[in-house]
């Protein structure tokens, strides 16, 4: 509660707003403006995690999104989230966090035995050990235990209560990173007249300058904080600038599309009512200014993972920004000048500095910061290194040795601040297919060139001081705006800060090992050590991509931001090659982890895809329909009555169609209107049968093929007028057929005078079917529907009389059930009234609505094929018994390849009907065999495509594709389904696919 | 994600389009020999570099059109109507 390590003054925390929080069951207090990490440090809590593999005690290393250690479980009920970086999580009142990967407690963790056994757990341990015996079954068995042992955090088990949004945006210039370079770039571009978006992953702009306490630095004669405030105000005053904080650019894609993750409410206990939790932005940027800064890296020495070890820049941030004292007595270990700025902050905060251990010789310490530190009287031990740190759950001392050898000294400390240099955050530049160049003076990779419109600026270019970053950012902003055509007033001057004379960095990746006991960590998140890399090289993993996968270097949730370059530098050392020749691994999205819920955004649950409803849908709902999905449509499956199962209902409905009359909603059929002088020719080319003979007022069934000869779709087309036709397609294929026809007309036959319009949504359709269909229809329409006046396959228009008045309709005499049947099409807004008028008129004839299940039963009984089950993309028209339809006198799409030998072979699978014998139930998904007791694999003669209980035949029947099936009528074979049930075997009799009224007398009657 | 310039609607997001394959493949005449038809249906080049291809603005104007796209870099070099030759296209 005391915040014993909070400095009395300073920082950009709000001391008037204390916030309570809990970590591993203990209550603490922090302030508004804290991160979870800074609040823990203010309370003296350094031990926050156990490492992934060895369960070693770990503390907070960084102050930003590069943190490899301090991954905590944030507990908020259904919102519980693992692997939250304490260094980026803003503190809120009531926050509850817990450490991960430990049992039973963080201080005493049984898994730490792995540390003692570490010689048995070398690099590639999983691959070496668990891949034997080499069968998938054994791997699965091991994996169960590995997963439990390696369990970092728990994912939520309850449904996600939060909402996520997607937002598209366009701009001339997208600035990624709102530090000095980014702000300077944004202002330059905005003043030139460009539309600008600036995003920064932190809660406020300013980058590394945010909250920094350094009186010597100023911009344009003002304190840095003042300049930042003015820059942000200037930008927010511009109508063409969008400022996004808490927003990470995580992915860079073709066409300069950049994906941003905006954490709208993650700094709150829960989103407010109007808020999404997160918003994913998809920004199309004319030019991107990448001002993503740089990540500090460590140096690998024994015990460099002890709690109390911080990167020097992070230590400085906690002191200056959060007014936190991360220790009482520090040792700084560095090979470059930036750690001296941290040392000066430590000194200002009253932290004793045992020494600055610098790998460079005294003569190299000429940089401005080093000179200032010396002036402050800080002890500098040059030409030296820290070979080892000591302590168990917190560092207690370090050894200091000269790089040239000799006896070392031991210095007590509870804080080690390390800097091995800075890695420019080139991730997005690399994702933008940009090449990287190894810069010897920085000992790091910097952006070189990208084919996309991206300009790097500031720290990512290797700028190490504010003045350089500002100048670079300003130039990048002007450059980016100019690329978008904005060359605004040159009067806007670049911001200025005095340059700081830099000192040279001396590359130092690891210190030599003194003995085998101390682990020198490269990748702290995945517990990869210097020795692991050496071992991998000895075993032949010389490619950087192989090294990564074998050792898991950089494969944690931090993607190796602090460790990758160290790892590949060590690889280069081992291989005696220059680092530039070793290269980097591929940078891939996401830059930082992105919550899975943000990817689908609103397109989840019921909004996963659109749902289509027919105009009669509400009637179906009101009358107890069960629904199924057909493509995007919701269709009535059946209308169960009290006490009926859906199957009972479907059987009743199917039987009623054959005895009385039924009505089914077929609005979902695809409907395409064709107009023009060449429609008949066009139909001749796309259907296998002939169309130039179709008279006005008539319709015809047709089958379309793909170019390879397989059946694509079927349906009817009606000739409504001389040059006006209506085509119907199957429900599920409507979109594909439309696209197919458009391609033929636009690409292959632009000379044909044919126009296509999809009218699926515009017309409702109902099919009236059964021996009493004519009586029902006659009662509601104004035309003569006698067999003579309106015969089979007639098409006409009429008016339907209903309670709401007369309704214009298109009438078609066609049948899917095999009974006397009509289709009535009306404008969609009259769909329900027409439906109700038909039911009312049919009441005295015993009419019942029927759903897709009864419709399916009726079509199986009639032997009608369906695109999908029977026409499965591998069947020809002849396989389906429709070879006669292929007109010999004309060409059509797919016909040239129909004569290929395999498509006319006698053993092709052909459509047949099956009747289950012995009163048996047809098994699901059965295959057809001659002998069910044949040794496995049992030769397959075919398979069942559709099956049902036929209430009209009172037996189980099926359609099937069977080798040479048409020649097997009368044979008895077996339907077996070992997957459904090992004993599922049924004797079936093969016959023609049409079970009911094979001569079609009913539908013509 | 590609930004595809529809000749009718201007640059639009790739999500609005359906890919249609090699635009240089021409549908044979009906009486072409079997070999020609087999090549038309099954054989496609897989070039590295500029590729003339068909795209359908399926969630837009419903027009099929041509795009010259570099398959290596995904850069779109030109686009045009289905019935016109693309500038810079070799075939
Ligand atoms: Zn278009």
């Amino acid at each position: 509660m005391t915040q014993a390590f909070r400095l009395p003054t300073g920082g950009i925390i709000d001391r008037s707003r204390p916030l309570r929080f809990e970590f591993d069951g203990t209550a603490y207090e922090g302030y508004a403006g804290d991160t979870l990490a800074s609040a823990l440090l203010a309370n003296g809590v350094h031990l926050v995690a156990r490492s992934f593999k060895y369960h070693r005690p770990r503390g907070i290393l960084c102050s930003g999104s590069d943190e490899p250690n301090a991954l905590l479980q944030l507990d908020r009920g259904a919102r519980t989230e693992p692997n939250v970086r304490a260094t980026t999580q803003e503190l809120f009142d009531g926050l509850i966090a817990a450490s991960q990967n430990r049992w039973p407690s963080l201080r005493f963790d049984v898994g730490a035995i792995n540390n003692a056994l570490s010689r048995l757990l070398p690099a590639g341990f999983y691959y070496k050990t668990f891949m034997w015996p080499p069968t998938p079954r054994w791997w699965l068995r091991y994996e169960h235990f590995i997963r439990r042992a390696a369990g970092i955090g728990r994912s939520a088990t309850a449904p996600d209560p939060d909402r996520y949004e997607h937002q598209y945006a366009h701009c001339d210039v997208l600035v990624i990173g709102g530090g000095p370079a980014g702000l300077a770039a944004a202002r330059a571009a905005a003043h030139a007249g460009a539309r600008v978006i600036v995003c920064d992953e932190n809660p406020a702009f300013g980058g590394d300058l945010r909250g920094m306490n350094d009186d010597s630095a100023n911009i344009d004669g003002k304190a840095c904080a003042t300049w930042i405030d003015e820059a942000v105000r200037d930008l927010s005053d511009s109508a063409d600038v969008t400022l996004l904080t808490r927003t990470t650019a995580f992915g860079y894609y073709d066409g300069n599309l950049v994906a941003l993750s905006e954490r709208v409410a993650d700094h709150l206990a829960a989103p407010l009512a109007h808020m999404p939790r997160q918003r994913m932005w998809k920004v199309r940027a004319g030019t991107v200014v990448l001002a993503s800064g740089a990540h500090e890296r460590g140096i690998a020495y024994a015990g460099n993972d002890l709690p109390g070890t911080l990167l020097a820049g992070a230590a400085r941030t906690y002191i200056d920004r959060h007014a936190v004292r991360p220790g009482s007595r520090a040792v700084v270990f560095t090979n470059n000048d930036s750690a001296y700025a941290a040392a000066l902050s430590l000194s200002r905060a009253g932290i004793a500095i045992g020494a600055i251990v610098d790998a460079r010789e005294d003569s190299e310490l000429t940089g401005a910061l080093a000179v200032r530190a010396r002036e402050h009287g800080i002890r500098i031990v040059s030409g030296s290194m820290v070979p080892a740190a000591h302590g168990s759950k917190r560092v207690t001392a370090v050894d200091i040795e000269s790089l040239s050898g000799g006896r070392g000294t031991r210095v007590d400390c509870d804080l080690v601040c390390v800097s091995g240099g800075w890695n420019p955050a080139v991730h997005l530049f690399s994702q933008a297919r940009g090449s990287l160049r190894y810069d010897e003076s920085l000992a790091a990779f910097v952006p070189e060139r990208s084919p996309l419109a991206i300009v790097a600026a500031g720290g990512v270019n290797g700028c190490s001081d504010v003045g350089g970053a500002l100048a670079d950012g300003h130039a990048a902003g002007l450059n980016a705006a100019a690329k978008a055509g904005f060359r605004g007033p040159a009067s806007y001057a670049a911001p200025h800060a005095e340059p700081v004379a830099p000192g040279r960095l001396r590359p130092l990746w690891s210190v030599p090992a003194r003995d085998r006991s101390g682990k020198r960590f490269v990748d702290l998140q995945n517990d990869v050590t210097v020795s692991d890399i050496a071992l991998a090289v000895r075993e032949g993993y010389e490619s950087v991509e192989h090294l990564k996968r074998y050792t898991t270097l950089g494969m944690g949730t931090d993607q190796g931001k602090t460790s990758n370059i160290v790892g590949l530098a060590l690889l280069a050392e081992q291989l005696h090659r220059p680092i530039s020749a070793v290269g980097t691994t591929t940078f891939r999205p996401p830059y930082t982890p992105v919550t899975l819920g943000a990817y689908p955004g609103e397109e989840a649950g019921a909004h996963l895809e659109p749902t289509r409803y027919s105009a009669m849908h509400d009637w179906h709902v009101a009358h107890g329909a069960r629904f199924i999905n057909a493509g995007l449509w919701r269709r009535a499956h059946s209308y169960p009555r009290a006490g009926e199962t859906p199957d009972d209902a479907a059987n009743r409905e199917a039987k009623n169609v054959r005895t009385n009359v039924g009505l089914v909603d077929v609005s979902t059929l695809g409907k395409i209107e064709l107009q023009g002088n060449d429609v008949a020719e066009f139909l001749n080319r796309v259907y296998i049968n002939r169309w130039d003979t179709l008279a006005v007022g008539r319709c015809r069934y047709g089958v379309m093929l793909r170019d390879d000869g397989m059946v694509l779709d079927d349906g009817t087309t009606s000739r409504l007028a001389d040059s006006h036709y209506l085509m119907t397609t199957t429900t599920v294929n409507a979109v594909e057929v439309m696209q197919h026809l458009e391609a033929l007309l636009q690409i292959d036959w632009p000379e044909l005078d044919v126009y296509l319009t999809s009218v699926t949504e515009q017309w409702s359709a109902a099919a009236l079917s059964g021996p009493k269909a004519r009586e029902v229809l006659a009662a509601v329409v104004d035309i003569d529907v006698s067999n003579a006046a309106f015969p089979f396959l007639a098409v006409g228009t009429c008016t339907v009389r209903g309670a709401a008045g007369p309704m214009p309709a298109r009438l078609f005499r066609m049948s899917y059930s095999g009974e006397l049947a009509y289709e009535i099409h009306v404008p969609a807004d009259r769909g329900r009234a027409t439906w109700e008028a038909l039911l009312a008129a049919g009441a005295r004839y015993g009419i019942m609505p029927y759903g897709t299940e009864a419709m399916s039963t009726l079509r199986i009984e009639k032997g009608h094929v369906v695109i999908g089950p029977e026409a499965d993309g591998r069947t020809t028209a002849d396989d389906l018994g429709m070879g006669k339809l292929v007109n010999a006198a004309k060409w059509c799409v797919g016909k040239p390849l129909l004569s290929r030998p395999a498509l006319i072979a006698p053993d092709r699978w052909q459509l047949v009907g099956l009747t289950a014998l012995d009163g048996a139930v047809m098994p699901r998904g059965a295959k057809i065999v001659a002998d069910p007791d044949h040794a496995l694999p049992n030769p397959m003669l075919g398979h069942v495509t559709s099956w049902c209980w036929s209430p009209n035949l009172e037996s189980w029947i099926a359609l099937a594709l069977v080798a040479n099936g048409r020649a097997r009528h009368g044979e008895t074979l077996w339907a077996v389904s070992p997957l459904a049930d090992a004993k599922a075997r049924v004797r079936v009799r093969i016959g023609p696919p049409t079970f009911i009224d094979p001569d079609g007398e009913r539908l013509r009657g | 994600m590609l930004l595809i310039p529809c000749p009718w609607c201007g640059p639009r997001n790739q999500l609005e389009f359906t890919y249609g394959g090699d635009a240089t493949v021409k549908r044979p005449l009906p009486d072409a020999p079997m070999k020609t038809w087999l090549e038309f249906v099954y054989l496609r080049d897989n070039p590295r570099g500029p590729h003339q291809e068909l795209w359908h603005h399926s969630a837009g104007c419903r027009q099929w059109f041509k795009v010259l796209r570099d398959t290596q870099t995904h850069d779109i070099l030109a686009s045009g109507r289905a019935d016109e030759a693309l500038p810079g296209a070799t075939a």
Side-chain angles (χ1 to χ4, degrees):
Chain A
M1 294 292 205
T2 55
Q3 303 196 44
F5 295 84
R6 185 75 72 182
L7 295 166
T9 57
I12 50 171
I13 46 166
D14 183 352
R15 292 168 201 260
S16 69
R17 284 177 57 209
L19 305 173
R20 286 159 299 137
F21 72 102
E22 205 177 279
F23 173 64
D24 275 352
T26 305
Y28 298 99
E29 208 167 72
Y31 290 126
D34 264 325
T35 62
L36 177 52
S38 68
L40 284 165
L41 291 175
N43 288 281
V45 179
H46 280 254
L47 170 62
V48 295
R50 287 278 175 171
S51 72
F52 179 65
K53 185 171 163 188
Y54 299 127
H55 291 251
R56 287 169 67 104
R58 289 286 166 82
I60 294 159
L61 183 76
C62 307
S63 59
S65 60
D66 45 348
E67 174 63 38
N69 282 338
L71 309 179
L72 305 184
Q73 183 88 30
L74 212 58
D75 202 351
R76 355 185 183 187
R79 295 187 168 90
T80 192
E81 192 176 358
N83 299 331
V84 171
R85 284 154 297 170
T87 50
T88 56
Q89 176 61 50
E90 294 173 58
L91 195 65
F92 55 80
D93 199 46
L95 182 151
I96 298 174
S99 54
Q100 304 180 147
N101 205 35
R102 83 289 189 270
W103 184 84
S105 77
L106 185 59
R107 295 200 73 81
F108 178 75
D109 174 19
V110 168
I113 188 82
N114 284 4
N115 191 32
L117 299 177
S118 62
R119 263 195 243 169
L120 305 176
L121 298 167
F125 166 71
Y126 297 141
Y127 300 108
K128 287 168 181 158
T129 309
F130 294 118
M131 285 308 183
W132 194 263
T135 68
R137 183 171 302 215
W138 276 92
W139 167 248
L140 290 176
R141 193 171 294 181
Y142 287 132
E143 194 187 20
H144 178 70
F145 293 102
I146 293 170
R147 291 251 180 266
R148 199 162 61 182
I152 284 198
R154 291 167 285 112
S155 61
T157 50
D160 190 338
D162 291 326
R163 213 158 53 72
Y164 301 83
E165 282 183 2
H166 282 190
Q167 171 83 47
Y168 283 90
H170 297 260
C171 62
D172 299 312
V173 179
L174 169 67
V175 180
I176 297 171
L183 291 175
R187 282 180 100 182
H191 280 274
R195 277 184 309 164
V196 178
I197 295 176
V198 193
C199 67
D200 191 284
E201 62 179 346
N202 296 299
F205 291 105
D208 283 347
L209 290 185
R210 190 162 62 91
M212 284 301 130
N213 173 14
D214 183 352
D215 353 321
S216 69
N218 67 62
I219 303 173
D220 291 346
K222 299 161 195 156
C224 291
T226 310
W227 183 85
I228 293 166
D229 288 347
E230 284 179 9
V232 171
R233 204 172 319 124
D234 178 36
L235 288 167
S236 56
D237 283 348
S238 167
D240 281 339
V241 176
T242 304
L243 297 176
L244 299 171
T245 52
R246 300 188 174 102
T247 304
T248 306
F250 68 85
Y252 205 115
Y253 306 94
D254 289 316
N256 256 25
L257 183 79
V258 184
L260 318 179
S261 159
E262 181 185 7
R263 293 168 298 281
V264 179
D266 282 359
H267 61 297
L268 305 172
L272 306 181
H274 67 281
M275 278 181 181
R277 179 184 167 203
Q278 296 184 358
R279 183 178 293 123
M280 185 179 286
W281 292 74
K282 300 174 188 178
V283 180
R284 285 276 182 200
T287 303
V288 169
V289 174
L290 184 67
S292 47
H295 297 123
E296 198 162 21
R297 62 186 182 227
I299 300 169
Y301 59 86
N304 64 336
D305 64 330
L306 278 168
T309 308
L310 272 80
L311 291 172
R316 182 178 176 217
T317 301
Y318 288 119
I319 294 167
D320 285 3
R321 187 183 292 165
H322 300 292
V324 164
R325 202 153 44 85
S328 304
R329 183 177 171 81
V331 167
V332 178
F333 180 24
T334 186
N335 63 348
N336 69 89
D337 267 17
S338 71
Y340 286 80
L344 291 165
S345 286
L346 292 168
S347 171
R348 271 197 301 273
I351 298 168
I353 301 177
I356 298 178
V357 182
D358 198 319
R360 299 173 294 181
E361 296 304 328
D362 218 43
S363 60
E364 294 176 281
L365 305 183
T366 54
L369 287 164
V371 170
R372 274 175 64 194
R374 211 189 285 277
E375 285 166 5
H376 268 71
I378 299 172
R379 179 183 168 218
I380 299 172
V381 185
S382 58
S384 297
M385 61 173 176
V386 171
H390 305 280
S392 62
K393 294 187 173 65
R394 174 90 186 254
V395 62
T396 54
V398 296
D399 296 336
I400 301 175
E401 271 180 27
S402 167
L403 277 167
S404 52
R407 272 183 62 86
T409 54
R410 183 166 291 196
V411 176
D412 290 342
C413 62
D414 62 357
L415 174 65
V416 184
C417 301
V418 191
S419 179
W422 293 78
N423 302 326
V426 296
H427 307 66
L428 289 164
F429 194 86
S430 178
Q431 287 181 30
R433 290 188 270 129
S435 57
L436 305 176
R437 176 178 61 80
Y438 186 72
D439 184 303
E440 297 284 351
S441 66
L442 297 167
F445 286 90
V446 293
E448 190 174 39
R449 74 179 69 81
S450 162
L452 301 182
I454 179 171
V455 187
V460 70
N461 265 347
C463 296
S464 60
D465 67 342
V466 178
L470 289 169
D472 202 31
H474 182 78
L478 289 180
N479 180 1
K483 283 190 183 188
F486 296 95
R487 293 166 212 282
S491 58
Y492 178 73
H496 176 76
E498 281 305 317
V500 179
R504 260 189 90 78
L505 170 145
R506 174 181 187 147
L508 179 65
W509 311 103
S510 68
V511 300
R514 279 193 304 204
D515 53 54
R516 296 189 61 173
S517 64
K519 287 191 175 58
R520 296 168 294 159
F521 284 95
V522 177
D523 181 339
L524 289 151
Q525 186 170 120
N526 277 356
D527 275 354
V528 181
T529 64
V530 176
S531 316
D532 289 331
I533 292 171
L535 176 65
V537 172
R538 282 202 301 281
E539 295 184 356
Y541 294 90
E542 297 190 357
S543 144
V544 62
E545 296 284 358
H546 290 160
L547 177 83
K548 166 181 164 176
R549 283 156 184 82
Y550 192 58
T551 62
T552 71
L553 172 76
M555 289 175 71
T557 58
D558 66 339
Q559 292 281 290
K561 290 188 180 62
T562 55
S563 62
N564 273 347
I565 306 299
V566 178
L568 63 91
L570 292 170
L571 174 65
E573 269 180 20
Q574 293 280 332
L575 296 172
H576 308 292
R577 285 184 207 152
I579 293 173
S580 56
V582 169
T584 64
T585 52
T586 308
F587 294 90
R588 294 192 180 86
Y591 173 67
T592 51
V594 177
T595 306
L596 282 180
Y599 282 99
E602 302 93 335
E603 291 174 21
H607 299 299
L608 181 64
E609 53 187 10
T611 307
R612 301 176 78 178
Y613 301 102
S614 88
M616 289 82 110
H617 184 79
D618 290 347
W619 189 96
H620 304 322
V621 172
H623 291 78
R626 289 294 195 93
F627 289 91
I628 59 157
N629 295 332
L632 300 177
W633 293 92
R634 296 284 284 156
R635 296 194 72 177
H637 167 277
S638 55
Y639 302 84
R641 294 174 175 172
E644 274 185 339
T645 65
D647 283 349
D648 293 342
N651 288 333
R652 167 179 53 73
E653 292 163 11
K655 194 157 179 137
N656 189 58
V657 169
R658 299 234 185 269
T659 50
N660 294 310
V661 60
L663 188 67
V664 63
D665 183 353
V666 292
S667 303
T668 60
L669 289 175
K671 306 177 203 78
I672 300 169
E673 292 212 3
L674 303 91
Q675 300 206 43
N677 292 320
D678 297 322
V679 175
E681 170 63 20
F682 180 58
L683 295 175
N684 262 350
R685 295 187 191 182
V686 299
Y687 278 128
I688 58 176
N689 44 338
R690 247 187 112 150
W691 291 83
D692 49 339
T693 54
L694 185 71
V696 172
R698 301 286 294 170
C699 66
R700 185 169 285 172
Y701 173 78
V703 175
M704 281 179 203
L705 308 182
R706 304 190 310 219
D707 268 311
D708 66 358
M710 302 303 161
V711 171
L712 167 67
D713 201 55
D714 69 346
T716 58
T717 292
S718 307
R719 192 168 184 185
L720 304 176
D722 204 39
S723 59
H724 185 189
Y725 292 71
L726 175 71
M727 175 187 286
T728 63
T729 73
T730 56
T731 298
V732 177
N733 262 358
V735 171
E736 189 184 340
V737 169
M738 184 73 182
Q739 196 159 44
H740 169 68
L741 299 180
E742 283 170 331
L744 291 171
L745 280 174
Q746 294 174 23
I747 300 164
D748 298 315
W749 309 318
E751 71 280 6
L752 289 186
D753 180 34
V754 178
Y755 299 88
L756 305 174
T757 311
S758 167
V759 295
T760 305
E761 295 284 347
Q762 281 71 21
W763 292 84
S764 282
L768 183 68
S769 189
K772 296 174 184 169
R774 183 174 292 125
E775 284 98 315
V776 176
L777 188 66
V780 295
V781 297
D782 61 345
I783 61 168
D784 180 2
V785 291
S786 68
N787 204 27
F790 203 77
F792 184 56
L793 299 179
V795 173
T797 56
C798 65
T799 300
V800 176
R801 289 183 297 274
M807 292 165 284
R810 288 174 178 170
L811 190 61
F812 307 81
R813 185 161 166 202
M814 53 180 77
S815 176
Y816 191 52
S817 61
E819 299 298 321
L820 168 65
Y822 301 87
E823 264 184 38
I824 303 103
H825 292 202
V826 294
D829 60 347
R830 305 300 176 89
R832 179 161 175 175
T834 304
W835 175 265
E836 287 178 320
L838 288 162
L839 286 174
R844 52 190 287 225
Y845 300 101
I847 197 168
M848 291 178 194
Y850 65 102
T852 55
E853 187 62 19
M855 189 171 76
S856 173
T857 297
L858 293 164
R859 71 97 189 166
I860 294 171
E861 289 176 344
K862 184 65 184 170
H864 281 155
V865 299
V866 163
I867 306 298
E870 283 81 32
D872 62 5
R874 297 173 300 173
T875 42
T876 65
D878 188 59
D879 297 339
L880 299 175
M882 297 188 288
K884 293 188 301 291
L885 278 182
V886 182
N887 187 290
K890 72 165 184 77
W891 177 89
C892 74
V893 171
K895 192 174 175 190
L897 295 193
L898 274 184
S899 55
R900 284 182 287 170
L903 299 194
I904 50 177
D907 61 345
R908 280 197 68 82
W909 290 11
Q910 296 164 339
L911 185 74
V912 296
L914 303 180
T915 305
L917 302 177
D918 317 314
V921 175
M922 191 76 73
R924 274 172 175 274
K927 68 176 189 174
I928 307 299
V929 299
D931 171 9
D933 296 316
H934 190 286
L936 295 176
N938 195 339
M940 188 168 169
L941 298 176
H943 66 85
V944 169
T945 54
S946 305
W947 66 101
C948 69
W949 165 255
S950 166
N952 297 295
L953 301 165
E954 305 219 322
S955 79
W956 281 85
I957 59 169
L959 298 178
L961 292 165
V962 174
N964 199 17
R966 280 198 288 275
R968 292 176 180 265
H969 289 183
E971 282 186 29
T972 299
L973 294 172
W974 291 83
V976 300
S977 185
L979 284 181
D981 176 355
K983 297 185 197 70
R985 48 166 66 183
V986 172
R987 268 196 330 136
V988 292
R989 189 179 62 241
I990 305 232
T994 312
F995 295 88
I996 296 242
D997 187 29
D999 299 325
E1001 286 162 12
R1002 297 188 193 178
L1003 49 85
R1004 290 189 179 80
Chain B
M1 200 152 10
L2 297 175
L3 193 62
I4 299 175
C6 172
W8 314 96
C9 310
R12 311 289 299 183
N13 196 320
Q14 182 184 342
L15 285 177
E16 298 179 11
F17 298 88
T18 307
Y19 183 62
D22 190 341
T24 63
V25 176
K26 290 278 169 276
R27 177 171 289 277
L29 292 172
D31 55 0
M34 173 75 89
K35 182 173 178 295
T36 308
W37 277 104
L38 285 171
E39 287 175 2
F40 165 69
V41 173
Y42 293 109
L43 292 189
R44 295 291 182 277
D45 289 336
N46 185 16
R48 187 172 84 160
H51 184 231
Q52 275 196 70
E53 49 201 28
L54 289 163
W55 287 82
H56 187 221
H57 199 181
S58 43
C61 65
R62 302 290 303 180
Q63 291 299 304
W64 285 91
F65 61 96
K66 287 183 192 168
V67 170
L68 185 65
R69 183 178 66 98
D70 189 313
T71 59
Q72 188 182 5
T73 64
H74 294 186
D75 289 338
I76 291 179
L77 310 167
S79 75
R81 299 157 47 131
D83 58 356
E84 68 183 16
L86 283 178
T90 49

